[in-house]
Amino acid sequence: MTLKAANEEEMIGIGRQCARQAVDGSVFILSGDLGAGKTHWTKGLVAGLGSPASVTSPTFGLVHEYTGGSLPVFHFDFYRLESAEELITIGWDDYLEREGVTVIEWGERFAELIPAGATWVRIRTLEDGSREIELTTFDTG
């Protein structure tokens, strides 16, 4: 499925739409250039799950947890990680086993650790500044 967002509010709206399909164990991989709207999409997902949390990019903390909604959201950013081992050390496997929804910015960096069946959210900035969002199922094969 391919969607288009003309601005930040529409990107947040697409995240809200994706929240309607999110269930315990859902994993979303967000890819796109810096400033493409990955965190805005996540704001919509978190709000769509009913959490009042203020969403920010987890670039320096590596993971943020958002609670208060129908499911907790674990928001990762793989951008600064150097290796898959570093991700495992911070408890990656434990997060995947917890009740909740996992969102990963820059998930393609360690695709070998992403569970099959995750939803890949590819965000591309178009010449007019709008965003094209392609939703596909991640396949490890």
Side-chain angles (χ1 to χ4, degrees), residues 2 5 10 14-15 28 33 41 44 49 54 60 77 85 92 95-97 101 110 116-117 137 140:
T2 302
E10 288 183 11
I14 291 170
F28 294 92
D33 293 334
W41 182 94
L49 290 171
S54 177
F60 296 103
D77 189 328
E85 292 76 27
W92 173 247
Y95 278 101
L96 290 177
E97 292 176 9
V101 174
F110 304 109
T137 300
T140 59

Side-chain angles (χ1 to χ4, degrees), residues 9 29 36 38-39 47-48 72 75 85 91 93 118 132 134:
E9 291 78 22
I29 308 161
K38 296 179 291 294
T39 301
H75 183 196
E85 292 76 27
D93 294 329
E132 181 180 83
E134 180 185 11

Side-chain angles (χ1 to χ4, degrees), residues 93-112:
D93 294 329
D94 296 331
Y95 278 101
L96 290 177
E97 292 176 9
R98 290 173 60 185
E99 178 185 8
V101 174
T102 303
V103 175
I104 311 153
E105 295 190 25
W106 303 96
E108 66 275 13
R109 295 204 60 211
F110 304 109
E112 69 274 14

Side-chain angles (χ1 to χ4, degrees), residues 58-133:
T59 300
F60 296 103
L62 303 180
V63 63
H64 289 167
E65 296 184 30
Y66 303 111
T67 58
S70 59
L71 289 166
V73 176
F74 312 117
H75 183 196
F76 285 84
D77 189 328
F78 288 3
Y79 187 75
R80 289 184 48 239
L81 293 174
E82 298 292 326
S83 68
E85 292 76 27
E86 187 176 359
L87 179 59
I88 291 167
T89 300
I90 65 170
W92 173 247
D93 294 329
D94 296 331
Y95 278 101
L96 290 177
E97 292 176 9
R98 290 173 60 185
E99 178 185 8
V101 174
T102 303
V103 175
I104 311 153
E105 295 190 25
W106 303 96
E108 66 275 13
R109 295 204 60 211
F110 304 109
E112 69 274 14
L113 296 178
I114 307 295
T119 300
W120 199 312
V121 181
R122 291 182 175 97
I123 304 169
R124 188 168 64 94
T125 304
L126 303 177
E127 286 185 22
D128 65 2
S130 66
R131 306 302 196 257
E132 181 180 83
I133 301 94

